[in-house]
Amino acid sequence: MTPNEFLEILHTAERLKDTLRHCTTSSGRIESVAEHSWRISLMAMLLKNEFPDADINKVTEMCLIHDLGECFTGDIPTFAKTDSDRAHEDTLLGKWVDSLPQEVSRHFSELYAEMNAQNTKEARIFKALDKLEALIQHNESPLDTWSENELELNKTYAFDTVAFSDWLTDLRKEILAETVNKLENE
């Protein structure tokens, strides 16, 4: 990879700093996709000892690149994203990934295929962290920033995704306790 190719990848990825998400921060500021990706990457790093049989570096890589398609489409909340939206994002992301230097393109393609298949522990950890971070962020954000459907969704979302891991299931239960406390006391 040449320095120019390296910079072009970074220039595209920089768009995620300005791509806003549905969630807000604890101060009520709308967060960016880059902020979400950073935090799930931190979450992965912190779980190294909880999942000693998993390749946490790979999980972190998945966390870092998982929303790069939103450079081209913007963020659509999971509860509003259609199959057509997903297909459009996948097409645009695929074209971009195919245009990257061969070694980067191959590595990204392998990671995306593994994330999509959800057949490895690493892919399942990544998917769980992606969903759990959104729940954590909602619990940190002011209740008046939640959409009406999230009042119930935040109680039920992602339990199926964490079911493969006792530790992540316990984390999901702790997040639920925070949600219930927030709903009862705010």
Side-chain angles (χ1 to χ4, degrees):
M1 172 173 31
T2 68
N4 184 55
E5 291 169 326
F6 179 82
L7 288 172
E8 287 301 318
I9 294 168
L10 294 181
H11 294 325
T12 299
E14 190 270 345
R15 296 176 193 171
L16 293 184
K17 291 182 178 184
D18 289 323
T19 303
L20 301 179
R21 284 176 51 85
H22 171 70
C23 298
T24 64
T25 65
S26 57
S27 68
R29 178 184 58 78
I30 297 173
E31 75 168 341
S32 72
V33 174
E35 291 169 309
H36 163 71
S37 295
W38 167 79
R39 188 149 85 160
I40 66 170
S41 300
L42 177 62
M43 291 167 71
M45 186 188 84
L46 292 170
L47 290 179
K48 184 175 184 143
N49 293 330
E50 303 306 328
F51 295 96
D53 58 333
D55 182 347
I56 293 298
N57 288 332
K58 181 187 272 189
V59 176
T60 304
E61 289 178 343
M62 290 175 177
C63 293
L64 287 169
I65 71 165
H66 82 284
D67 274 340
L68 281 171
E70 294 181 9
C71 287
F72 310 104
T73 62
D75 177 67
I76 302 170
T78 189
F79 55 81
K81 199 173 221 177
T82 66
D83 288 342
S84 176
D85 294 328
R86 277 184 268 288
H88 181 64
E89 183 178 311
D90 289 347
T91 297
L92 295 175
L93 176 64
K95 286 180 184 177
W96 181 67
V97 168
D98 288 346
S99 76
L100 299 175
Q102 184 178 7
E103 68 275 10
V104 176
S105 177
R106 182 176 46 252
H107 186 58
F108 279 22
S109 294
E110 289 169 357
L111 287 171
Y112 284 121
E114 187 172 339
M115 287 186 278
N116 289 333
Q118 286 291 293
N119 290 329
T120 64
K121 181 170 250 182
E122 290 79 8
R124 290 189 300 271
I125 293 169
F126 146 72
K127 181 58 81 177
L129 296 180
D130 185 28
K131 291 183 175 193
L132 293 175
E133 195 282 332
L135 292 165
I136 294 166
Q137 189 61 56
H138 273 83
N139 283 345
E140 294 169 340
S141 67
L143 192 56
D144 65 0
T145 66
W146 292 25
S147 60
E148 190 169 322
N149 67 321
E150 290 167 332
L151 297 173
E152 192 57 37
L153 183 63
N154 279 35
K155 296 178 193 173
T156 60
Y157 187 65
F159 273 102
D160 57 336
T161 308
V162 301
F164 74 96
S165 161
D166 291 341
W167 196 94
L168 289 171
T169 298
D170 288 344
L171 175 60
R172 179 61 185 99
K173 290 175 184 175
E174 288 295 321
I175 295 167
L176 175 60
E178 287 186 352
T179 300
V180 170
N181 184 55
K182 181 178 195 71
L183 292 171
E184 290 176 352
N185 295 306
E186 258 191 50

